[in-house]
Amino acid sequence: MNWRLLKDKIARFSAITLLVLALAVIVAIVAGLVGKSTPLLQAESLVDILSDSVWSPMKGRFGFLSFILGTVWVTLIALIVATPLCVLASIYLVEYASDRLRNMVLPLVNVLAAIPPVLYGVWGVLFVVPLLGNYIAPFLGIDSSGFSVFAGGLVLAVMIFPIMVSIMVEVLSTIPKELKDASLSLGATQWETITKVVLQKAKPGLIAAAVLGISRAFGETVAVLMVCGNIPQIPKSLFDAGYPLPALIANNFGEMMSIPLYDSALMFAALLLFVIIFGFNLLSRIILNRLEEKAA
């Protein structure tokens, strides 16, 4: 057999094998979480688990509504704060900044992405929480300790800023210069070219960058549990304490496992987090496909 054909078959077999292994790992994770969550699902209905906000393991009450809403609050705040800042920063770096400034800033952004989450958490405790508790909340006439979903959202926004900016800069850099020159030659200003041409062309990539950032925000643990307050309640305002799902798992796993159904409840929390992230990414993928088809 021709050696080149043999290498081609080996490469194809290796690729298929690695793909199957990757899928098998995902299936194994889901199967393990479902298996460990089964005792809780057998003891209580899924509707009751998801709609109940009372978390009292000693009394056999495992309500996840407060944890789900805590996760949603923190993630949405991070998305609302980070996305416009990242888009504007990326536009400036690509369209306005000099090559020298761009080459200096982008490596710093990549360094920020490598900082351990616990350092962001410490920064949040020492700076964000006092700022909210001692200045912003009193200014608004609100009594708050500062440990809140707002603090968690701000810390998460800073954490996902580097990865979103890096991807958005790459996306904006792929827009053909000829396309922008054509817009400018028709009399459009630079800002009109950016908003009407560049951003429209780069929309799918910018949304993908936001999706990647939020996917990381969903599962972030250490930094969030340090600043959110970790009180199992439904947040009613930005300055209320919350308890996201990752913080619940990190804080309680390994403790009080002698309580009936406690370990099953934590495994269900992990399964729930997996389903939320998977569903969010699937929905985002569908939206991106439609945008790409429309652009084509």
Side-chain angles (χ1 to χ4, degrees), residues 121-206:
V122 172
W123 170 75
V125 171
L126 297 179
F127 179 77
V128 177
V129 170
L131 179 65
L132 295 178
N134 298 331
Y135 299 99
I136 297 180
F139 178 77
L140 298 175
I142 300 173
D143 184 20
S144 174
S145 65
F147 290 94
S148 59
V149 290
F150 195 14
L154 292 178
V155 171
L156 269 189
V158 174
M159 289 186 64
I160 64 179
F161 186 87
I163 185 172
M164 289 178 65
V165 168
S166 297
I167 298 174
M168 288 181 178
V169 166
E170 293 296 328
V171 170
L172 294 176
S173 299
T174 62
I175 304 301
K177 187 176 183 301
E178 293 78 7
L179 197 62
K180 292 183 282 187
D181 290 341
S183 176
L184 294 172
S185 66
L186 292 174
T189 64
Q190 186 171 5
W191 182 247
E192 288 174 337
T193 299
I194 291 171
T195 55
K196 303 297 184 182
V197 177
V198 175
L199 292 182
Q200 292 299 318
K201 187 71 174 177
K203 185 187 297 182
L206 297 179

Side-chain angles (χ1 to χ4, degrees), residues 247-263:
L248 169 69
I249 300 170
N251 273 339
N252 297 282
F253 194 81
E255 299 180 2
M256 298 185 292
M257 287 305 180
S258 60
I259 299 176
L261 300 179
Y262 195 82
D263 58 338

Side-chain angles (χ1 to χ4, degrees), residues 74-86:
V74 171
T75 305
L76 285 180
I77 292 170
L79 177 64
I80 293 171
V81 172
T83 302
L85 292 177
C86 291

Side-chain angles (χ1 to χ4, degrees), residues 251-289:
N251 273 339
N252 297 282
F253 194 81
E255 299 180 2
M256 298 185 292
M257 287 305 180
S258 60
I259 299 176
L261 300 179
Y262 195 82
D263 58 338
S264 180
L266 293 181
M267 289 299 99
F268 179 77
L271 176 62
L272 190 60
L273 186 62
F274 179 89
V275 171
I276 291 174
I277 295 175
F278 181 80
F280 176 78
N281 282 276
L282 180 62
L283 179 62
S284 303
R285 186 67 260 176
I286 294 173
I287 295 173
L288 283 173
N289 287 338

Side-chain angles (χ1 to χ4, degrees), residues 1-14:
M1 181 183 294
N2 189 295
W3 176 241
R4 292 174 59 192
L5 294 178
L6 179 60
K7 287 195 298 182
D8 183 67
K9 289 186 176 181
I10 292 174
R12 182 170 55 186
F13 177 77
S14 300

